[in-house]
Amino acid sequence: MHVRKESCLMFHLPEDFLHFMREVYGTEAANAWFQRLPSLLEEYAQRWQLTLLPPFENLSFHYVAPAIRADGTPVILKTSEFSDEFEHGLAALRIFNGRGIARLLEYDEEKKAMVLERLQPGTMLESLVPEQDVQATSILAGIMRQLWRPVPEEHTFPTVEQLGQDLTQLRAYYAGGYGPFPPRLVEEAIDLFATLSASAPQTMLLHGDLHHYNILQAQDTWLAIDPKGVVGDPGYEVGASFFNPLPRILEAPNLEQMLARRVAQLSEELGMERTRIRGWGLAQCVRNAWSMVAHNQLSVNPQGVLRCAEILSRLTF
């Protein structure tokens, strides 16, 4: 499928993106949005004086494309019809305000569209793994420290506890069973979401999905992109780093040693107990694997993510 502009320039929508959106939101709804997308892009281009370029190839929930402002500034246009995370991500970007993350330049909350600073050269942090994994982990920790903010008095951000409730749907999905999920890991993950949240030393506004594909090189530094906006224990933030970068992390010949070292390094650099970091890693591995099944996102085998959870469950300190 292609997106046509008035200039007759044809923008090809990646086949993986078409398939993903139809898989997650249904063929009819996704196709209807794909048909509206050309006029929406034209509207945004005129409104914000953008020259649009073809979209990125590795898209998932949002249409994301590079663009150039009238003054020559390279930017990113991001929009989506469906994602209920848009308003939370937008609110988080406004609070983070460019500290540790790409700057928000323009936005329309109602139409779910935004213009962001384009990070250049834009190399993903995953490029450092596994050869420079120690450096990559240190960059992750540094971004976390820059991002975390006190929770606004009034907000609509989802909480870590609410996200953990997703796991309670697993047994209903499998008619009271656990399907391919090891019961011990599922029950431990549910318990960890509750106990770690209840014992959190502080509650902060977090990125919510900070991993190796959501940190890009910007000149001589690294910055985050695509925040979800989540409120809770800062320890929750480390969880995504224990099953990323997917799927390449699963190919690491020394995966057990790599995950154990990440626990130790993050504990030292963030000043958190190793048991808390290990716990959030395990809990998020299980939740992510379940989310892949629940949302029919099976491009990566959830068993690989559960393998990371199993490794973490065996770590002792």
Side-chain angles (χ1 to χ4, degrees):
M1 181 176 289
H2 295 79
V3 175
R4 182 183 294 274
K5 284 182 60 182
E6 284 295 301
S7 64
C8 295
L9 176 64
M10 299 295 286
F11 287 167
H12 176 72
L13 292 178
E15 289 298 324
D16 287 347
F17 179 53
L18 297 172
H19 176 74
F20 177 87
M21 296 294 280
R22 289 167 180 153
E23 193 175 60
V24 174
Y25 299 111
T27 299
E28 184 175 351
N31 284 346
W33 181 61
F34 292 143
Q35 293 299 321
R36 291 193 298 273
L37 192 54
S39 61
L40 291 172
L41 295 178
E42 181 185 349
E43 176 186 341
Y44 303 147
Q46 292 179 355
R47 176 177 178 179
W48 291 316
Q49 297 186 336
L50 304 174
T51 298
L52 298 181
L53 302 174
F56 294 109
E57 285 293 322
N58 56 334
L59 302 179
S60 54
F61 293 97
H62 300 82
Y63 178 92
V64 186
I68 302 173
R69 280 179 139 178
D71 63 0
T73 303
V75 295
I76 296 292
L77 174 68
K78 178 177 179 179
T79 186
S80 179
E81 176 85 358
F82 308 101
S83 176
D84 57 1
E85 299 171 345
F86 187 91
E87 67 173 281
H88 301 135
L90 174 61
L93 281 166
R94 296 177 66 184
I95 293 171
F96 294 145
N97 194 30
R99 182 178 174 183
I101 200 163
R103 290 179 296 119
L104 176 69
L105 303 176
E106 309 280 0
Y107 66 91
D108 186 321
E109 185 171 1
E110 181 179 351
K111 294 191 174 182
K112 295 186 177 180
M114 64 174 74
V115 178
L116 298 153
E117 172 188 15
R118 184 175 183 187
L119 306 182
Q120 295 181 307
T123 306
M124 291 182 179
L125 188 62
E126 60 90 17
S127 65
L128 300 186
V129 180
E131 290 81 4
Q132 298 169 272
D133 193 63
V134 172
Q135 180 185 353
T137 302
S138 187
I139 290 168
L140 273 164
I143 293 290
M144 292 177 195
R145 292 194 300 267
Q146 290 183 70
L147 286 179
W148 296 338
R149 292 287 190 282
V151 181
E153 290 187 10
E154 295 185 9
H155 70 85
T156 62
F157 293 114
T159 66
V160 169
E161 296 94 323
Q162 289 170 335
L163 296 178
Q165 289 300 309
D166 290 351
L167 280 170
T168 62
Q169 303 166 17
L170 185 149
R171 297 198 66 187
Y173 182 86
Y174 290 112
Y178 293 87
F181 288 78
R184 176 180 56 83
L185 288 181
V186 173
E187 296 303 325
E188 185 174 1
I190 291 173
D191 180 68
L192 284 166
F193 262 100
T195 58
L196 292 176
S197 294
S199 63
Q202 57 184 330
T203 298
M204 303 289 283
L205 172 63
L206 315 175
H207 180 286
D209 191 29
L210 196 63
H211 54 71
H212 301 73
Y213 295 107
N214 277 341
I215 296 180
L216 308 183
Q217 189 172 10
Q219 303 303 330
D220 58 351
T221 190
W222 296 82
L223 296 173
I225 61 169
D226 198 21
K228 295 292 186 289
V230 174
V231 164
D233 178 10
Y236 173 86
E237 196 85 283
V238 308
S241 67
F242 288 101
F243 54 87
N244 274 294
L246 272 176
R248 287 199 302 110
I249 189 173
L250 303 175
E251 301 167 1
N254 58 339
L255 183 57
E256 293 198 20
Q257 294 93 323
M258 177 187 289
L259 296 187
R261 186 199 46 73
R262 286 184 182 182
V263 170
Q265 184 179 349
L266 288 169
S267 171
E268 180 178 350
E269 296 198 20
L270 295 174
M272 293 182 189
E273 295 178 352
R274 293 187 183 188
T275 53
R276 177 170 292 273
I277 288 176
R278 180 209 72 93
W280 276 125
L282 187 157
Q284 283 218 57
C285 283
V286 177
R287 179 183 179 273
N288 182 265
W290 161 238
S291 180
M292 292 164 69
V293 173
H295 296 98
N296 203 29
Q297 299 168 246
L298 303 178
S299 56
V300 177
N301 188 342
Q303 290 301 317
V305 183
L306 289 175
R307 179 184 163 208
C308 296
E310 181 63 45
I311 290 172
L312 290 167
S313 76
R314 296 195 299 265
L315 295 183
T316 57
F317 305 104

